[in-house]
Amino acid sequence: MELYLDSVDFKEIEAALSYGFVKGLTTTPTFMHRHGITDIDGAIVKLSGMVPELQVEALGETPDAIVAEADRLLGLPLEREPVFKVPISNDGVKACKRLTDKGHRVNVHLIYTLNQAYMAMEAGAAFVCPLAGRMQDQGHDAMQLFEQIVDVIDRYGYDSKVMFSSVRHAEHVRQAMLSGAHVCTMPFGVMKNLCENTLTAAGTAQFREHTALMTVRVKDVIREANPICETGETLTSAMVKMTESRLGTVTLVDAKGAVAGVFTDGDLRRKLQTGGRNILDKKLADIGFSTTPITVEADSLLNEAVKIFKSKEVDSIIVVSGKKPVGVLDVQDLIKLGLLGQEHL
């Protein structure tokens, strides 16, 4: 079943064509009106150079008028000849036959009965186009009609293709395939969601998670901020560096730059509760800090970091290269990557 886009939105058309397998574009005067297009001929010329096959309306109240409109469109500087869309009627099938005899292709549309489809096929229509959504809106069995038309084409050897149109949702696309329709034209809103499925999304996320755990290293995901204080700096200095880095941890280092400990926002709250504001100007070495920080090597795989978060139940881990701190891995970083759940907050 061939895939067509039903639109006049140029951004949508470019997005659909990027898939690489959209075979054509159907348009209607109604779409152009809704989209605010005033230069219809200019839009048709532009579209003819964008899509593999363009289907445009050739309207007229008589066969002569329909054929004359088709001839007028052919006089435009088109990149390629379009398929002419003609509503089903006695005049429509006459015009279809005349255009077909001249070597042009016609889509006879607005079909709602098998008899209408039969007349279009006899007139040589390249496409016969019932409107599924509109039929179902009126309580009719659209799928039965599509199946009947496909059966008639197969039984009697007509060259016409059945185009499934008035697509409202993904289920219509499934029904189009099951009915045997040769072409399905749909809005981009339906087309872009045809690959979506919650189970697929869950499986893909799991594959990405496991791949990251086995291939991505800690140094690849740590933030640029790396708040460091010497043990001789004040509590105020630690507060400022925590705030600037938007992290809840400051790594403490000795005179050689090696990790000596860690001071966290939790430590800050506890120290202020017990010592009051008077401790703000005291040195970190005097007020105390944890001398056994949890660390992970920068070259470690994320799998190792995840194990540490799960076993130690901490909010952050000091990332080191040898004995020197190179960053901080926050639990939020791994939650955003989908490697830890919200329960670890």
Side-chain angles (χ1 to χ4, degrees):
M1 185 176 73
E2 294 180 341
L3 178 65
Y4 278 52
L5 178 67
D6 197 22
S7 175
V8 293
D9 185 312
F10 291 103
K11 290 183 178 179
E12 287 185 350
I13 295 166
E14 289 176 351
L17 291 175
S18 70
Y19 290 134
F21 49 81
V22 174
K23 294 297 192 295
L25 177 75
T26 53
T27 65
T28 68
T30 300
F31 281 177
M32 292 190 179
H33 172 71
R34 288 176 182 171
H35 204 63
I37 293 175
T38 54
D39 181 8
I40 294 178
D41 286 354
I44 290 173
V45 170
K46 182 176 180 178
L47 290 171
S48 74
M50 292 178 65
V51 298
E53 178 175 272
L54 175 63
Q55 300 203 1
V56 297
E57 205 77 31
L59 287 173
E61 295 184 358
T62 66
D64 287 343
I66 294 171
V67 173
E69 174 62 8
D71 288 337
R72 187 191 72 79
L73 292 171
L74 290 171
L76 298 175
L78 304 172
E79 290 289 330
R80 57 185 60 86
E81 181 175 314
V83 174
F84 297 109
K85 295 175 64 181
V86 177
I88 185 68
S89 68
N90 287 339
D91 288 335
V93 294
K94 292 177 184 176
C96 175
K97 179 65 168 121
R98 287 167 58 179
L99 288 169
T100 300
D101 287 346
K102 293 169 68 174
H104 307 306
R105 294 193 299 156
V106 178
N107 178 345
V108 179
H109 66 122
L110 295 178
I111 286 176
Y112 294 98
T113 70
L114 183 59
N115 287 341
Q116 289 177 323
Y118 165 65
M119 292 294 283
M121 291 185 287
E122 278 293 309
F127 300 87
V128 291
C129 186
L131 285 74
R134 292 192 187 182
M135 288 187 68
Q136 291 173 340
D137 290 344
Q138 299 298 318
H140 299 295
D141 189 344
M143 297 310 104
Q144 183 182 57
L145 176 60
F146 281 102
E147 291 168 358
Q148 289 174 345
I149 298 173
V150 170
D151 181 63
V152 168
I153 289 174
D154 292 342
R155 183 179 301 181
Y156 295 105
Y158 287 111
D159 293 328
S160 304
K161 291 182 178 181
V162 179
M163 176 177 281
F164 194 107
S165 69
S166 190
V167 170
R168 307 283 177 78
H169 41 68
E171 175 60 16
H172 271 155
V173 181
R174 187 184 74 87
Q175 293 174 349
M177 288 186 283
L178 292 177
S179 72
H182 307 97
V183 183
C184 186
T185 183
M186 67 194 70
F188 188 64
V190 174
M191 184 184 295
K192 68 180 181 180
N193 290 324
L194 288 178
C195 289
E196 298 299 319
N197 181 275
T198 54
L199 295 177
T200 300
T204 301
Q206 187 179 64
F207 292 157
R208 287 174 178 165
E209 173 189 340
H210 292 161
T211 300
L213 289 172
M214 296 182 292
T215 61
V216 179
R217 300 191 181 277
V218 171
K219 64 183 179 183
D220 298 325
V221 299
I222 57 175
R223 307 181 191 185
E224 292 184 6
N226 183 26
I228 294 175
C229 283
E230 293 183 359
T231 57
E233 292 186 53
T234 65
L235 178 56
T236 297
S237 177
M239 289 174 57
V240 170
K241 291 182 179 182
M242 266 194 257
T243 302
E244 290 176 343
S245 67
R246 297 185 179 182
L247 288 166
T249 299
V250 172
T251 305
L252 303 186
V253 296
D254 59 23
K256 295 182 179 180
V259 174
V262 64
F263 193 84
T264 69
D265 52 3
D267 294 328
L268 172 63
R269 288 191 297 272
R270 287 187 289 272
K271 298 296 183 182
L272 285 172
Q273 287 171 355
T274 58
R277 294 189 178 188
N278 293 332
I279 67 169
L280 290 175
D281 294 326
K282 289 187 176 182
K283 295 179 180 179
L284 292 165
D286 295 332
I287 65 175
F289 54 84
S290 172
T291 58
T292 56
I294 298 172
T295 62
V296 65
E297 278 289 335
D299 281 328
S300 297
L301 293 172
L302 285 184
N303 192 43
E304 182 64 26
V306 169
K307 289 179 180 179
I308 294 173
F309 274 117
K310 288 181 177 180
S311 63
K312 301 297 184 180
E313 296 184 351
V314 291
D315 293 332
S316 57
I317 304 173
I318 305 303
V319 181
V320 296
S321 178
K323 293 183 178 181
K324 295 188 177 181
V326 294
V328 177
L329 186 62
D330 192 275
V331 67
Q332 290 277 9
D333 300 328
L334 297 189
I335 290 174
K336 289 178 181 178
L337 290 172
L339 303 180
L340 286 172
Q342 293 289 334
E343 69 273 10
H344 292 282
L345 286 176

